[in-house]
Amino acid sequence: MTHHQLTDEPPKPPLMPTRQLALRFSSTRRGARLARQLAVQQFTEWTDLPYDSDPARAAALVTAELASNAIRHGSLPGRDFRLALLLLPGLFRIEVTDTRPERLPPPHAAPQPADGTSGRGLLLVQAHAHRWGRTVHDAYTKTVWAEVRHDTTPT
């Protein structure tokens, strides 16, 4: 698997998460903003890295994009999205679960036309995440996940 290749199955972590947290948020812009703020708060608390570090910024950007996509492309009226955060050895895993399993992200982020006004979110995720993918759990939900490195371990 290449560094940024999307997979349909989550990688099996070498160890269990040392910390984890999951919460539901409303499928609104406010919900996405709160999810991003929570992810950065947990990232900095769990890793002892500052808010303005590159890994913290990557975690913020990835969370914002995944939450935004869940709201824009994966929500049904009245349904929330779920944010799960997991601290793995060397990795911070962000999982966003929504209620539209039939609307999967494309297997590879593709460049969009220069004059386009949307469609660059997955390119950003791909650029800032160590790896990312998607998992369909059942007929009612899917999870799009990404892992951000928080140490200097070589890939």
Side-chain angles (χ1 to χ4, degrees):
M1 175 164 47
T2 63
H3 177 69
H4 295 293
Q5 184 176 354
L6 175 117
T7 62
D8 285 329
E9 292 299 320
K12 293 180 175 50
L15 299 173
M16 295 299 292
T18 57
R19 295 185 183 188
Q20 55 189 1
L21 173 70
L23 291 171
R24 292 192 179 278
F25 293 90
S26 64
S27 291
T28 62
R29 291 184 344 196
R30 181 175 187 264
R33 184 179 70 249
L34 292 172
R36 177 183 48 81
Q37 291 171 340
L38 175 69
V40 174
Q41 173 65 37
Q42 289 306 130
F43 178 86
T44 58
E45 184 178 314
W46 290 348
T47 64
D48 291 327
L49 291 172
Y51 283 94
D52 62 349
S53 67
D54 287 340
R57 288 180 181 148
L61 186 140
V62 167
T63 304
E65 289 301 330
L66 296 183
S68 175
N69 283 349
I71 292 163
R72 186 170 187 185
H73 305 292
S75 68
L76 292 170
R79 298 291 180 102
D80 297 339
F81 70 92
R82 179 181 180 265
L83 173 70
L85 306 171
L86 298 92
L87 185 65
L88 302 167
L91 296 170
F92 182 69
R93 185 177 173 100
I94 302 151
E95 300 179 349
V96 175
T97 302
D98 66 45
T99 55
R100 297 291 301 267
E102 76 281 4
R103 298 192 76 183
L104 290 172
H108 301 284
Q112 298 298 311
D115 60 349
T117 59
S118 65
R120 293 176 181 83
L122 289 178
L123 287 172
L124 291 171
V125 170
Q126 183 172 290
H128 291 278
H130 170 62
R131 65 182 154 215
W132 65 287
R134 63 198 183 179
T135 304
V136 175
H137 300 286
D138 51 39
Y140 307 104
T141 62
K142 76 166 176 298
T143 298
V144 180
W145 56 268
E147 294 172 342
V148 173
R149 287 195 171 279
H150 64 79
D151 65 9
T152 56
T153 304
T155 56

